[in-house]
PDB file of all heavy atoms in Angstrom:
ATOM      1  N   MET A   1     110.912 142.907  95.040  1.00  0.00           N
ATOM      2  CA  MET A   1     112.260 143.079  94.586  1.00  0.00           C
ATOM      3  C   MET A   1     112.322 144.328  93.713  1.00  0.00           C
ATOM      4  O   MET A   1     111.440 144.578  92.903  1.00  0.00           O
ATOM      5  CB  MET A   1     112.702 141.859  93.783  1.00  0.00           C
ATOM      6  CG  MET A   1     114.025 142.060  93.120  1.00  0.00           C
ATOM      7  SD  MET A   1     114.584 140.635  92.193  1.00  0.00           S
ATOM      8  CE  MET A   1     114.157 139.332  93.304  1.00  0.00           C
ATOM      9  N   ILE A   3     114.416 146.257  90.814  1.00  0.00           N
ATOM     10  CA  ILE A   3     115.359 145.994  89.740  1.00  0.00           C
ATOM     11  C   ILE A   3     115.694 147.309  89.033  1.00  0.00           C
ATOM     12  O   ILE A   3     114.797 148.035  88.596  1.00  0.00           O
ATOM     13  CB  ILE A   3     114.785 145.001  88.714  1.00  0.00           C
ATOM     14  CG1 ILE A   3     114.404 143.688  89.394  1.00  0.00           C
ATOM     15  CG2 ILE A   3     115.776 144.758  87.573  1.00  0.00           C
ATOM     16  CD1 ILE A   3     113.603 142.745  88.506  1.00  0.00           C
ATOM     17  N   GLN A  20     109.266 144.421  91.213  1.00  0.00           N
ATOM     18  CA  GLN A  20     108.673 143.144  90.822  1.00  0.00           C
ATOM     19  C   GLN A  20     108.046 142.501  92.041  1.00  0.00           C
ATOM     20  O   GLN A  20     108.681 142.324  93.078  1.00  0.00           O
ATOM     21  CB  GLN A  20     109.724 142.208  90.239  1.00  0.00           C
ATOM     22  CG  GLN A  20     109.143 140.876  89.787  1.00  0.00           C
ATOM     23  CD  GLN A  20     110.195 139.950  89.215  1.00  0.00           C
ATOM     24  OE1 GLN A  20     111.383 140.071  89.485  1.00  0.00           O
ATOM     25  NE2 GLN A  20     109.744 139.014  88.394  1.00  0.00           N
ATOM     26  N   SER A  62     118.149 145.983  94.369  1.00  0.00           N
ATOM     27  CA  SER A  62     118.940 144.821  94.770  1.00  0.00           C
ATOM     28  C   SER A  62     119.480 144.044  93.571  1.00  0.00           C
ATOM     29  O   SER A  62     120.384 143.231  93.727  1.00  0.00           O
ATOM     30  CB  SER A  62     118.111 143.892  95.657  1.00  0.00           C
ATOM     31  OG  SER A  62     116.970 143.432  94.949  1.00  0.00           O
ATOM     32  N   GLU A  63     118.921 144.293  92.389  1.00  0.00           N
ATOM     33  CA  GLU A  63     119.357 143.589  91.184  1.00  0.00           C
ATOM     34  C   GLU A  63     119.381 144.565  90.025  1.00  0.00           C
ATOM     35  O   GLU A  63     118.744 145.616  90.081  1.00  0.00           O
ATOM     36  CB  GLU A  63     118.427 142.420  90.864  1.00  0.00           C
ATOM     37  CG  GLU A  63     118.398 141.399  91.971  1.00  0.00           C
ATOM     38  CD  GLU A  63     117.902 140.039  91.533  1.00  0.00           C
ATOM     39  OE1 GLU A  63     117.696 139.827  90.323  1.00  0.00           O
ATOM     40  OE2 GLU A  63     117.732 139.194  92.407  1.00  0.00           O
ATOM     41  N   CYS A  64     120.105 144.171  88.975  1.00  0.00           N
ATOM     42  CA  CYS A  64     120.213 145.051  87.813  1.00  0.00           C
ATOM     43  C   CYS A  64     120.276 144.240  86.529  1.00  0.00           C
ATOM     44  O   CYS A  64     120.932 143.206  86.469  1.00  0.00           O
ATOM     45  CB  CYS A  64     121.469 145.918  87.928  1.00  0.00           C
ATOM     46  SG  CYS A  64     121.711 147.016  86.509  1.00  0.00           S
ATOM     47  N   ALA A  98     122.960 142.170  92.412  1.00  0.00           N
ATOM     48  CA  ALA A  98     123.048 141.001  91.537  1.00  0.00           C
ATOM     49  C   ALA A  98     122.882 141.507  90.109  1.00  0.00           C
ATOM     50  O   ALA A  98     122.097 142.427  89.858  1.00  0.00           O
ATOM     51  CB  ALA A  98     121.962 139.995  91.881  1.00  0.00           C
ATOM     52  N   GLY A 100     122.516 140.950  85.802  1.00  0.00           N
ATOM     53  CA  GLY A 100     122.231 140.209  84.580  1.00  0.00           C
ATOM     54  C   GLY A 100     122.633 141.070  83.408  1.00  0.00           C
ATOM     55  O   GLY A 100     122.269 142.248  83.356  1.00  0.00           O
ATOM     56  N   TYR A 102     122.604 141.557  79.266  1.00  0.00           N
ATOM     57  CA  TYR A 102     121.779 141.120  78.148  1.00  0.00           C
ATOM     58  C   TYR A 102     122.143 141.880  76.877  1.00  0.00           C
ATOM     59  O   TYR A 102     122.379 143.086  76.909  1.00  0.00           O
ATOM     60  CB  TYR A 102     120.302 141.337  78.470  1.00  0.00           C
ATOM     61  CG  TYR A 102     119.923 140.717  79.800  1.00  0.00           C
ATOM     62  CD1 TYR A 102     119.793 141.498  80.945  1.00  0.00           C
ATOM     63  CD2 TYR A 102     119.758 139.342  79.925  1.00  0.00           C
ATOM     64  CE1 TYR A 102     119.485 140.935  82.175  1.00  0.00           C
ATOM     65  CE2 TYR A 102     119.455 138.770  81.150  1.00  0.00           C
ATOM     66  CZ  TYR A 102     119.319 139.563  82.271  1.00  0.00           C
ATOM     67  OH  TYR A 102     119.023 139.002  83.482  1.00  0.00           O
ATOM     68  N   ALA A 148     115.432 146.283  82.561  1.00  0.00           N
ATOM     69  CA  ALA A 148     114.907 145.816  83.851  1.00  0.00           C
ATOM     70  C   ALA A 148     113.816 144.774  83.645  1.00  0.00           C
ATOM     71  O   ALA A 148     113.773 143.748  84.339  1.00  0.00           O
ATOM     72  CB  ALA A 148     114.383 147.003  84.669  1.00  0.00           C
ATOM     73  N   ILE A 149     112.933 145.011  82.674  1.00  0.00           N
ATOM     74  CA  ILE A 149     111.877 144.047  82.359  1.00  0.00           C
ATOM     75  C   ILE A 149     112.496 142.737  81.879  1.00  0.00           C
ATOM     76  O   ILE A 149     112.078 141.649  82.294  1.00  0.00           O
ATOM     77  CB  ILE A 149     110.912 144.623  81.291  1.00  0.00           C
ATOM     78  CG1 ILE A 149     110.127 145.802  81.869  1.00  0.00           C
ATOM     79  CG2 ILE A 149     109.969 143.533  80.768  1.00  0.00           C
ATOM     80  CD1 ILE A 149     109.394 146.626  80.816  1.00  0.00           C
ATOM     81  N   CYS A 150     113.492 142.828  81.023  1.00  0.00           N
ATOM     82  CA  CYS A 150     114.190 141.644  80.527  1.00  0.00           C
ATOM     83  C   CYS A 150     114.785 140.866  81.693  1.00  0.00           C
ATOM     84  O   CYS A 150     114.661 139.633  81.754  1.00  0.00           O
ATOM     85  CB  CYS A 150     115.272 142.057  79.540  1.00  0.00           C
ATOM     86  SG  CYS A 150     116.283 140.699  78.915  1.00  0.00           S
ATOM     87  N   HIS A 151     115.417 141.564  82.616  1.00  0.00           N
ATOM     88  CA  HIS A 151     116.023 140.895  83.770  1.00  0.00           C
ATOM     89  C   HIS A 151     114.956 140.157  84.583  1.00  0.00           C
ATOM     90  O   HIS A 151     115.157 138.996  84.961  1.00  0.00           O
ATOM     91  CB  HIS A 151     116.756 141.912  84.647  1.00  0.00           C
ATOM     92  CG  HIS A 151     117.464 141.288  85.798  1.00  0.00           C
ATOM     93  ND1 HIS A 151     118.628 140.558  85.651  1.00  0.00           N
ATOM     94  CD2 HIS A 151     117.168 141.264  87.122  1.00  0.00           C
ATOM     95  CE1 HIS A 151     119.014 140.123  86.835  1.00  0.00           C
ATOM     96  NE2 HIS A 151     118.152 140.536  87.743  1.00  0.00           N
ATOM     97  N   ALA A 152     113.838 140.803  84.832  1.00  0.00           N
ATOM     98  CA  ALA A 152     112.748 140.159  85.582  1.00  0.00           C
ATOM     99  C   ALA A 152     112.255 138.917  84.836  1.00  0.00           C
ATOM    100  O   ALA A 152     112.043 137.859  85.440  1.00  0.00           O
ATOM    101  CB  ALA A 152     111.605 141.140  85.798  1.00  0.00           C
ATOM    102  N   HIS A 153     112.101 139.038  83.530  1.00  0.00           N
ATOM    103  CA  HIS A 153     111.628 137.914  82.711  1.00  0.00           C
ATOM    104  C   HIS A 153     112.644 136.769  82.696  1.00  0.00           C
ATOM    105  O   HIS A 153     112.285 135.607  82.874  1.00  0.00           O
ATOM    106  CB  HIS A 153     111.344 138.384  81.289  1.00  0.00           C
ATOM    107  CG  HIS A 153     111.014 137.273  80.349  1.00  0.00           C
ATOM    108  ND1 HIS A 153     109.790 136.649  80.339  1.00  0.00           N
ATOM    109  CD2 HIS A 153     111.757 136.670  79.397  1.00  0.00           C
ATOM    110  CE1 HIS A 153     109.794 135.699  79.427  1.00  0.00           C
ATOM    111  NE2 HIS A 153     110.968 135.692  78.831  1.00  0.00           N
ATOM    112  N   MET A 154     113.903 137.102  82.502  1.00  0.00           N
ATOM    113  CA  MET A 154     114.941 136.070  82.434  1.00  0.00           C
ATOM    114  C   MET A 154     115.097 135.363  83.772  1.00  0.00           C
ATOM    115  O   MET A 154     115.314 134.159  83.804  1.00  0.00           O
ATOM    116  CB  MET A 154     116.277 136.678  81.995  1.00  0.00           C
ATOM    117  CG  MET A 154     116.240 137.227  80.596  1.00  0.00           C
ATOM    118  SD  MET A 154     115.890 135.965  79.375  1.00  0.00           S
ATOM    119  CE  MET A 154     117.156 136.274  78.209  1.00  0.00           C
ATOM    120  N   LYS A 155     114.983 136.092  84.864  1.00  0.00           N
ATOM    121  CA  LYS A 155     115.082 135.476  86.188  1.00  0.00           C
ATOM    122  C   LYS A 155     113.967 134.468  86.389  1.00  0.00           C
ATOM    123  O   LYS A 155     114.199 133.369  86.861  1.00  0.00           O
ATOM    124  CB  LYS A 155     114.993 136.541  87.286  1.00  0.00           C
ATOM    125  CG  LYS A 155     116.273 137.253  87.553  1.00  0.00           C
ATOM    126  CD  LYS A 155     116.104 138.255  88.668  1.00  0.00           C
ATOM    127  CE  LYS A 155     115.363 137.704  89.828  1.00  0.00           C
ATOM    128  NZ  LYS A 155     116.033 137.276  90.979  1.00  0.00           N
ATOM    129  N   SER A 156     112.746 134.838  86.024  1.00  0.00           N
ATOM    130  CA  SER A 156     111.634 133.916  86.233  1.00  0.00           C
ATOM    131  C   SER A 156     111.754 132.714  85.314  1.00  0.00           C
ATOM    132  O   SER A 156     111.418 131.602  85.698  1.00  0.00           O
ATOM    133  CB  SER A 156     110.287 134.620  86.034  1.00  0.00           C
ATOM    134  OG  SER A 156     110.135 135.035  84.702  1.00  0.00           O
ATOM    135  N   THR A 157     112.266 132.902  84.104  1.00  0.00           N
ATOM    136  CA  THR A 157     112.467 131.794  83.173  1.00  0.00           C
ATOM    137  C   THR A 157     113.530 130.843  83.714  1.00  0.00           C
ATOM    138  O   THR A 157     113.356 129.627  83.683  1.00  0.00           O
ATOM    139  CB  THR A 157     112.891 132.327  81.791  1.00  0.00           C
ATOM    140  OG1 THR A 157     111.870 133.194  81.314  1.00  0.00           O
ATOM    141  CG2 THR A 157     113.110 131.202  80.807  1.00  0.00           C
ATOM    142  N   ARG A 158     114.626 131.401  84.242  1.00  0.00           N
ATOM    143  CA  ARG A 158     115.687 130.570  84.807  1.00  0.00           C
ATOM    144  C   ARG A 158     115.173 129.790  86.012  1.00  0.00           C
ATOM    145  O   ARG A 158     115.492 128.639  86.184  1.00  0.00           O
ATOM    146  CB  ARG A 158     116.887 131.426  85.206  1.00  0.00           C
ATOM    147  CG  ARG A 158     117.755 131.807  84.049  1.00  0.00           C
ATOM    148  CD  ARG A 158     119.085 132.364  84.498  1.00  0.00           C
ATOM    149  NE  ARG A 158     118.958 133.491  85.379  1.00  0.00           N
ATOM    150  CZ  ARG A 158     118.969 134.759  85.012  1.00  0.00           C
ATOM    151  NH1 ARG A 158     119.109 135.069  83.752  1.00  0.00           N
ATOM    152  NH2 ARG A 158     118.867 135.728  85.896  1.00  0.00           N
ATOM    153  N   ARG A 159     114.369 130.449  86.854  1.00  0.00           N
ATOM    154  CA  ARG A 159     113.823 129.755  88.030  1.00  0.00           C
ATOM    155  C   ARG A 159     112.957 128.581  87.599  1.00  0.00           C
ATOM    156  O   ARG A 159     113.026 127.517  88.182  1.00  0.00           O
ATOM    157  CB  ARG A 159     112.997 130.718  88.881  1.00  0.00           C
ATOM    158  CG  ARG A 159     113.838 131.506  89.831  1.00  0.00           C
ATOM    159  CD  ARG A 159     112.978 132.124  90.917  1.00  0.00           C
ATOM    160  NE  ARG A 159     113.703 133.220  91.455  1.00  0.00           N
ATOM    161  CZ  ARG A 159     113.303 134.476  91.474  1.00  0.00           C
ATOM    162  NH1 ARG A 159     112.139 134.791  90.976  1.00  0.00           N
ATOM    163  NH2 ARG A 159     114.047 135.423  91.984  1.00  0.00           N
ATOM    164  N   LEU A 160     112.126 128.789  86.562  1.00  0.00           N
ATOM    165  CA  LEU A 160     111.270 127.702  86.086  1.00  0.00           C
ATOM    166  C   LEU A 160     112.123 126.555  85.558  1.00  0.00           C
ATOM    167  O   LEU A 160     111.819 125.399  85.805  1.00  0.00           O
ATOM    168  CB  LEU A 160     110.318 128.210  85.004  1.00  0.00           C
ATOM    169  CG  LEU A 160     109.207 129.131  85.473  1.00  0.00           C
ATOM    170  CD1 LEU A 160     108.433 129.656  84.284  1.00  0.00           C
ATOM    171  CD2 LEU A 160     108.280 128.428  86.444  1.00  0.00           C
ATOM    172  N   ARG A 161     113.178 126.879  84.844  1.00  0.00           N
ATOM    173  CA  ARG A 161     114.067 125.836  84.329  1.00  0.00           C
ATOM    174  C   ARG A 161     114.745 125.098  85.474  1.00  0.00           C
ATOM    175  O   ARG A 161     114.909 123.905  85.422  1.00  0.00           O
ATOM    176  CB  ARG A 161     115.111 126.439  83.410  1.00  0.00           C
ATOM    177  CG  ARG A 161     114.575 126.763  82.050  1.00  0.00           C
ATOM    178  CD  ARG A 161     115.694 127.101  81.097  1.00  0.00           C
ATOM    179  NE  ARG A 161     115.158 127.971  80.074  1.00  0.00           N
ATOM    180  CZ  ARG A 161     115.765 129.043  79.622  1.00  0.00           C
ATOM    181  NH1 ARG A 161     116.941 129.382  80.060  1.00  0.00           N
ATOM    182  NH2 ARG A 161     115.211 129.767  78.684  1.00  0.00           N
ATOM    183  N   GLU A 162     115.173 125.839  86.508  1.00  0.00           N
ATOM    184  CA  GLU A 162     115.842 125.224  87.648  1.00  0.00           C
ATOM    185  C   GLU A 162     114.886 124.273  88.375  1.00  0.00           C
ATOM    186  O   GLU A 162     115.265 123.174  88.764  1.00  0.00           O
ATOM    187  CB  GLU A 162     116.367 126.288  88.620  1.00  0.00           C
ATOM    188  CG  GLU A 162     117.548 127.054  88.053  1.00  0.00           C
ATOM    189  CD  GLU A 162     117.881 128.284  88.869  1.00  0.00           C
ATOM    190  OE1 GLU A 162     117.297 128.475  89.962  1.00  0.00           O
ATOM    191  OE2 GLU A 162     118.752 129.059  88.423  1.00  0.00           O
TER     192      GLU A 162
END
Side-chain angles (χ1 to χ4, degrees):
M1 172 179 318
I3 302 170
Q20 181 180 22
S62 60
E63 299 200 7
C64 179
Y102 308 101
I149 293 167
C150 177
H151 183 74
H153 173 76
M154 295 298 229
K155 278 181 45 101
S156 65
T157 301
R158 281 193 304 266
R159 275 197 202 121
L160 289 175
R161 283 191 206 137
E162 289 168 8

